[in-house]
Amino acid sequence: MTLFSLTNRVSRVLSASKVFIRHRRIQFHGGSHPQGNKEPKAIQKQESWFVKVVCTLFVYSQPLDDACLSYLNNNLTPLIEFEVVKWLKNPTFGLKVLELSRLNLSINHSFWTYNLLIRSFCCMGLYGSARLVFDYMKIDGHLPDSTLLGFMISSFGRAGEFGMARKLLAEAQSDDVMVTIFAVNNLLNMMVKQNNLEEAVSLYKENLGSNFNPDTWTFNILIRGLCRVGKVDQAFEFFNDMRSFGCFPDIVTYNTIINGLCREYEVDRGHSLLNEIRLRDDCAPNVVTYTSVISGYCKLGKMEEASALFDKMMSSGTLPSVVTFNVLIDGFGKVGDMLSAKSLYEKMASFGCIPDVVTFTSLINGYCQIGDVNRSLQLWDAMKVKNVSPNVYTFAITINALCKENRLREAFRLLRELQCRNIVPKPFIFNPVIDGFCKAGNLDEANRIVAEMEKKKCDPDKVTFTILIIGHCMKGRMLKAISIFDKMLSVGCTPDDITVRSLISCLLKAGMPKEAYLISTITS
């Protein structure tokens, strides 16, 4: 192939190559590297023609003959090779260029060639290829800079390749390459987010002996992960270790650990930490801090303490949020104090807080608990006026309350309304209605509701099957009850003792001891 014919095919190379890098110039952010240059030099106009020729050779003339290799060996430079890899716009082709030149050409490859290929492969999710280029880079005498290393560690972490990321960190330490705390924190954060908490703690402890100096963000990440899984005491160990590393807890640290304590019902400890913040000059509690402790008191039913802290928050100049009002309204509703709940609801607007679906659901639940279902239905009308859509729990609470009052038709209408909305149905919404119709002796209607459930891809659960089995037994439909029990087993739904004992008892009363014995044998 002549050079003239090669240049005529250049335009076809561009269209045939897979476009990966969107812009011709690649930006690199900071960091030092062995060459000491902040970015590769620009090629001259006369060199750009040669770049296109080399690209065409690699794409269309594999394998290259000895004459081509000799010519390239005499004329190819590290800078031109970088431009070739960039111009190809396909890291797979670029890797082939790199491998061929490493084996057959005496070129001292540019740091930027490795940098470009590693970043490109990482962005494509080809982490094995990125690691291969990284190994070539080290073999050829180049050490990565902190920016490239941080990028690789973050990329591997996002992909869940934590083993590869940790190996990179270990190699960097042995090569005496600096890894920024930002890169380590990114990796820890991704480990925690992907529920690899133990691995995150292990990584932290492994790196303490090196040049790794944790900062406040490091501790916040680990404390958040530990609190999320209920390991508050272990989180406190990190909290207490912060000062020994010259770190001081910020409001994020305090909010995280206070929320963790309150979720574990250790509200008094959370309140003590809140008071500790109030005494500090460099940190002040915010609405999140107060709301966490208020929520903790509400969950314990300690509404006096919750109200007192709410008043203290207001007097300190911290304004409540919608979440603050919601936790208080829910707390008052659960203890049956609907006057206080309604009073808070009416105050929301004056603080610029708009009631949401959680607000209305909490109020509805409160009225249902004190048996005032009519008032809860009025709130449904208020929701429509305010254009607030009910969620799955709003439906479940109201339907259950209507069924308890034997208002099955109204409950059934709400069930139909639910099915018309874009809400994923759950068995616990259907079960009270099915149970109501079974107890009323209307098994056909109960069976129809179950059939509608299954059409909506909502599989009956253990409670649904138990309701149906007992309902059919009460009507003397023993064979149908056995059939439902068989279906329960066939779909992998394990019956509990109540289901089994109820069915066996009914079979014995119906004079069917053999069937009762068979059920007992199967379930044992």
Side-chain angles (χ1 to χ4, degrees):
M1 180 180 294
T2 66
L3 291 180
F4 178 76
S5 62
L6 284 173
T7 53
N8 284 338
R9 300 173 72 174
V10 166
S11 61
R12 280 179 284 169
V13 175
L14 270 173
S15 59
S17 299
K18 178 180 177 182
V19 177
F20 175 73
I21 305 167
R22 295 186 178 182
H23 303 288
R24 178 164 175 77
R25 288 194 62 81
I26 309 297
Q27 292 184 351
F28 302 95
H29 304 285
S32 61
H33 47 82
Q35 282 72 20
N37 299 319
K38 289 189 177 180
E39 61 179 55
K41 295 178 181 178
I43 61 170
Q44 303 298 316
K45 287 184 179 180
Q46 62 269 24
E47 293 175 316
S48 62
W49 176 84
F50 183 55
V51 168
K52 296 176 183 179
V53 171
V54 175
C55 287
T56 310
L57 274 173
F58 276 105
V59 172
Y60 288 104
S61 302
Q62 295 290 342
L64 299 178
D65 57 28
D66 291 341
C68 281
L69 288 174
S70 177
Y71 180 76
L72 291 174
N73 195 45
N74 292 328
N75 294 278
L76 196 61
T77 66
L79 179 59
I80 290 176
E81 185 186 32
F82 168 72
E83 290 294 330
V84 167
V85 172
K86 188 168 70 170
W87 197 83
L88 284 170
K89 300 183 182 181
N90 184 325
T92 303
F93 280 153
L95 179 55
K96 288 181 180 178
V97 172
L98 178 70
E99 289 180 326
L100 188 142
S101 62
R102 287 183 77 252
L103 292 173
N104 298 288
L105 306 174
S106 54
I107 297 177
N108 183 20
H109 301 90
S110 164
F111 166 85
W112 297 108
T113 304
Y114 298 104
N115 184 67
L116 174 61
L117 286 173
I118 288 170
R119 288 174 180 273
S120 299
F121 280 125
C122 284
C123 291
M124 292 175 69
L126 300 174
Y127 301 103
S129 298
R131 178 69 215 206
L132 177 63
V133 176
F134 181 77
D135 290 339
Y136 287 156
M137 180 182 183
K138 292 183 67 179
I139 291 168
D140 292 345
H142 293 293
L143 287 177
D145 62 14
S146 60
T147 306
L148 177 60
L149 201 60
F151 173 82
M152 291 181 72
I153 289 168
S154 296
S155 297
F156 291 161
R158 275 192 298 271
E161 299 283 351
F162 296 127
M164 201 177 289
R166 292 180 73 170
K167 190 176 179 184
L168 272 177
L169 270 176
E171 289 176 12
Q173 289 168 13
S174 63
D175 294 333
D176 204 23
V177 177
M178 187 189 78
V179 181
T180 64
I181 186 62
F182 180 79
V184 178
N185 284 344
N186 257 344
L187 182 58
L188 288 170
N189 194 35
M190 283 179 277
M191 284 177 170
V192 170
K193 282 185 176 180
Q194 297 183 36
N195 299 317
N196 284 275
L197 180 60
E198 289 184 10
E199 194 167 0
V201 173
S202 172
L203 175 66
Y204 164 81
K205 290 180 178 178
E206 280 176 12
N207 285 275
L208 279 182
S210 64
N211 294 325
F212 168 65
N213 293 312
D215 59 10
T216 301
W217 187 28
T218 313
F219 289 103
N220 286 349
I221 291 165
L222 295 169
I223 288 170
R224 185 186 75 238
L226 290 164
C227 287
R228 192 173 66 186
V229 297
K231 296 182 177 181
V232 186
D233 288 334
Q234 192 176 349
F236 251 107
E237 292 175 15
F238 283 98
F239 180 81
N240 293 329
D241 282 347
M242 292 181 72
R243 287 177 175 82
S244 61
F245 290 95
C247 302
F248 293 92
D250 58 14
I251 192 59
V252 175
T253 321
Y254 279 111
N255 284 349
T256 303
I257 206 156
I258 287 171
N259 184 55
L261 285 167
C262 293
R263 284 175 60 184
E264 295 298 310
Y265 303 103
E266 296 189 49
V267 188
D268 290 337
R269 287 178 71 188
H271 199 166
S272 296
L273 274 179
L274 188 153
N275 290 332
E276 179 182 313
I277 310 172
R278 296 178 67 195
L279 297 174
R280 286 182 56 172
D281 296 327
D282 60 338
C283 193
N286 58 21
V287 65
V288 177
T289 325
Y290 282 105
T291 301
S292 294
V293 182
I294 290 169
S295 177
Y297 281 129
C298 289
K299 286 175 183 176
L300 293 173
K302 295 183 175 182
M303 297 312 300
E304 286 186 15
E305 289 87 341
S307 297
L309 187 56
F310 178 76
D311 293 338
K312 190 178 287 185
M313 179 184 78
M314 301 278 285
S315 63
S316 72
T318 304
L319 296 178
S321 66
V322 174
V323 179
T324 317
F325 280 108
N326 284 348
V327 297
L328 281 164
I329 289 168
D330 184 63
F332 280 119
K334 284 177 178 173
V335 298
D337 185 356
M338 292 311 297
L339 285 175
S340 297
K342 190 170 183 293
S343 174
L344 281 166
Y345 165 69
E346 290 169 348
K347 285 180 182 177
M348 290 181 74
S350 61
F351 289 94
C353 296
I354 300 171
D356 58 13
V357 64
V358 178
T359 317
F360 283 105
T361 303
S362 296
L363 287 167
I364 288 168
N365 184 50
Y367 282 119
C368 287
Q369 284 197 346
I370 64 173
D372 195 346
V373 182
N374 290 331
R375 188 70 65 89
S376 71
L377 293 175
Q378 289 173 9
L379 284 166
W380 277 77
D381 297 331
M383 288 176 72
K384 289 177 183 177
V385 171
K386 293 182 180 293
N387 200 27
V388 177
S389 299
N391 62 20
V392 65
Y393 299 105
T394 322
F395 277 100
I397 291 164
T398 312
I399 288 171
N400 187 53
L402 287 168
C403 290
K404 282 182 178 178
E405 292 198 353
N406 205 29
R407 297 163 68 170
L408 294 178
R409 291 300 166 189
E410 291 173 82
F412 187 67
R413 278 198 297 273
L414 268 185
L415 198 58
R416 283 291 171 85
E417 183 182 337
L418 166 71
Q419 292 171 310
C420 296
R421 292 177 179 264
N422 189 26
I423 296 176
V424 179
K426 300 290 182 182
F428 64 79
I429 303 176
F430 292 87
N431 288 340
V433 187
I434 296 167
D435 186 51
F437 280 116
C438 283
K439 286 176 178 175
N442 193 345
L443 297 180
D444 293 336
E445 192 64 60
N447 289 330
R448 273 194 290 273
I449 294 172
V450 174
E452 286 183 15
M453 274 179 69
E454 294 173 329
K455 282 182 184 177
K456 296 289 183 179
K457 306 296 182 185
C458 178
D459 296 326
D461 63 5
K462 180 167 55 180
V463 177
T464 318
F465 282 114
T466 302
I467 290 167
L468 290 171
I469 289 167
I470 294 173
H472 283 83
C473 285
M474 293 298 99
K475 290 286 284 187
R477 299 181 180 179
M478 307 311 299
L479 294 178
K480 181 64 177 175
I482 293 172
S483 172
I484 295 169
F485 183 79
D486 290 339
K487 181 180 179 181
M488 184 179 186
L489 296 177
S490 68
V491 298
C493 185
T494 306
D496 58 18
D497 289 341
I498 295 173
T499 315
V500 175
R501 284 202 303 268
S502 299
L503 180 56
I504 290 174
S505 175
C506 291
L507 288 170
L508 291 172
K509 288 178 182 177
M512 301 172 70
K514 290 183 180 179
E515 288 80 357
Y517 176 75
L518 181 61
I519 296 294
S520 178
T521 304
I522 291 171
T523 54
S524 64

